[in-house]
Amino acid sequence: MKANILRAALLAAFSSLALAGCHRESGEASVGQKVDTAIDRTQEKLSAAGAATSQAVSDAGEKTSQKLAEMGDKTQAAVSNAADKVAEKTGQAVNAVQEASSSPAVADAAITASIKTDLLKDPDLSVFKIDVDTKDGVVTLNGLAGTDAARARAEKMASAVKGVKEVRNFLVLKRA
């Protein structure tokens, strides 16, 4: 827009000069006066165009600020809504995990895994194949033990695990 105004101003100035250079009759303004008049008009037009441009930029800035504020409010509401949904889903997931972990099947699997881990740590018992089964907190040991002491130690290890109600020891001694 400024380029168009500048072009118009330059065109007006050159036109004034061209007309001033033409034949001059008495009572007409001199070339210098005509140039001064053209420059004054050009400055007035540029000033008016600058004021209009400044006002347009100011208006656009205000509209942009309003739109940004509106979008900020909408974004904040959307984020808050999403956070509420995430919190709700997290609570549901926690409840589901708590329910699942309190189920007997999960508790029995945890007991079995814990006992098998303890048996693997014992060098006398880890050599032998010992099956561990758990149902409703009742542990059943099947397999071979090297000695009576190893057999008793396996039963003691199983009964020490949290959640075990009873241990049924069907381990048999390995024959030489």
Side-chain angles (χ1 to χ4, degrees), residues 22-43:
C22 293
H23 185 304
R24 182 178 147 208
E25 295 183 17
S26 64
E28 283 188 25
S30 68
V31 173
Q33 291 172 336
K34 289 182 181 180
V35 169
D36 288 343
T37 304
I39 289 174
D40 289 341
R41 287 182 190 161
T42 304
Q43 284 178 341

